[in-house]
Amino acid sequence: MARPAAGQATMPRAKSAARIESATLPARGSAACPLQVSTMSQLKLSYFDFHGGRAEPARLALAIGGIAFEDHRFAYPEFAEVRKSTPFGQVPVLHVDGVQVTQCDAINRYVGKLAGLYPLDAYQALLCDEVMYVVEEAGVKMGPTFRMTGDAQKEARLALVNGSMPVYLGWLQSQLLAHGGEYFADNRLTMADLKVFVDVRGLNSGRLDHVPTDLVKKSPPRSTPTCNASPTPPLWRSTTPNLAFDKKNLPLPAVGSLVDKRVHKASNPRQPWVGRRCL
């Protein structure tokens, strides 16, 4: 039996960023957004008070989906006390009707389903998960460098810049091209796009010492049987309008435009993303 076409359970693929809002986000109660009962749950997402990091994709998804939640943010000095109440001494954590849940990608899948940003088709869900896990794996390798200083941090980050990071980025470029150059799965916006968007935005920001701001731009797609290398990396394109707290060039132009329209004004950002990834 032929596999259902990507996005078949939702809506036809949007042709431009301007059509994303109406063409790629399924309506509540549709076949693509079945978790109506869960949308009534009381949600509390706890993470550091900055743009970026492991909770940002979930924050964006909840805002895009119009799902009410308590956006519990705290300053870094408060983390020592906050971590005492978490299972593994780390964040983010999500409280669902008072029940605490940990692990960022489990949270991402859950809120993605609530917001209609997670594929119903099993194969498309696999593609979405694959991308999220790759981004998480890359972040795990970067994580220890945030606890380093001076020459030790410089040496560790340059080793990643010249080693695993271009490999991860090249693979992501290839996957994006192989699936049409706009979305990673399901021919529509999913949690995979949001996770890559947040991660690449951080790499482009210039706030990560010893990580060149043109690293993404200079990481060409890896050639595969379904994807030939392109001189224009799809993760690095200009989009208008820009997020007020971002630079000119944003990854995933369709996502950037949607986030600007549906999230930025509603999220009431309190301070710029500061480039800290905490484990």
Side-chain angles (χ1 to χ4, degrees):
M1 181 180 295
R3 180 180 296 122
Q8 185 175 0
T10 55
M11 302 186 72
R13 179 176 175 179
K15 298 299 182 181
S16 67
R19 293 176 55 194
I20 294 176
E21 187 168 345
S22 61
T24 63
L25 294 180
R28 278 296 157 68
S30 69
C33 191
L35 300 182
Q36 292 175 295
V37 64
S38 296
T39 61
M40 302 304 294
S41 297
Q42 296 295 312
L43 304 178
K44 177 182 177 181
L45 182 62
S46 300
Y47 197 65
F48 298 99
D49 187 13
F50 57 74
H51 290 294
R54 286 189 162 103
E56 192 77 351
R59 285 172 177 164
L60 294 178
L62 290 166
I64 289 171
I67 297 170
F69 74 105
E70 181 182 346
D71 189 7
H72 175 220
R73 303 183 182 220
F74 52 87
Y76 189 71
E78 300 174 68
F79 180 49
E81 187 62 30
V82 171
R83 72 188 312 170
K84 294 177 182 178
S85 63
T86 67
F88 306 109
Q90 61 190 29
V91 289
V93 292
L94 177 70
H95 284 82
V96 182
D97 292 330
V99 177
Q100 184 173 236
V101 180
T102 185
Q103 302 305 315
C104 61
D105 281 331
I107 293 170
N108 285 338
R109 283 192 296 275
Y110 175 69
V111 302
K113 291 174 183 178
L114 295 183
L117 296 174
Y118 190 79
L120 291 180
D121 177 73
Y123 178 68
Q124 295 301 321
L126 174 65
L127 296 178
C128 179
D129 288 348
E130 180 186 30
V131 169
M132 289 199 294
Y133 290 151
V134 165
V135 175
E136 189 64 21
E137 185 174 294
V140 167
K141 292 187 177 182
M142 175 67 75
T145 69
F146 288 97
R147 297 188 288 271
M148 301 176 183
T149 57
D151 290 341
Q153 184 186 74
K154 180 178 181 179
E155 181 179 352
R157 288 192 174 172
L158 288 179
L160 294 175
V161 166
N162 296 313
S164 64
M165 291 178 72
V167 175
Y168 287 121
L169 291 170
W171 182 86
L172 289 170
Q173 307 273 27
S174 299
Q175 288 297 104
L176 190 57
L177 283 174
H179 295 94
E182 193 169 8
Y183 304 109
F184 282 100
D186 220 19
N187 279 342
R188 65 185 181 93
L189 186 70
T190 68
M191 294 305 300
D193 302 295
L194 294 182
K195 183 137 183 169
V196 174
F197 173 77
V198 171
D199 194 65
V200 174
R201 185 179 66 183
L203 295 177
N204 291 349
S205 70
R207 297 185 177 97
L208 292 173
D209 292 340
H210 317 299
V211 175
T213 57
D214 60 354
L215 178 63
V216 176
K217 190 175 183 179
K218 290 184 175 180
S219 297
R222 295 172 62 186
S223 182
T224 69
T226 58
C227 169
N228 294 321
S230 167
T232 305
L235 293 181
W236 181 278
R237 297 178 184 171
S238 296
T239 183
T240 304
N242 298 316
L243 295 175
F245 49 84
D246 276 331
K247 291 190 169 186
K248 246 182 190 181
N249 293 302
L250 294 177
L252 302 175
V255 178
S257 178
L258 178 60
V259 169
D260 185 80
K261 289 188 292 184
R262 301 278 307 262
V263 178
H264 181 55
K265 293 180 181 179
S267 62
N268 189 25
R270 291 174 238 184
Q271 68 182 69
W273 186 87
V274 297
R276 182 189 297 272
R277 184 193 299 273
C278 298
L279 301 178

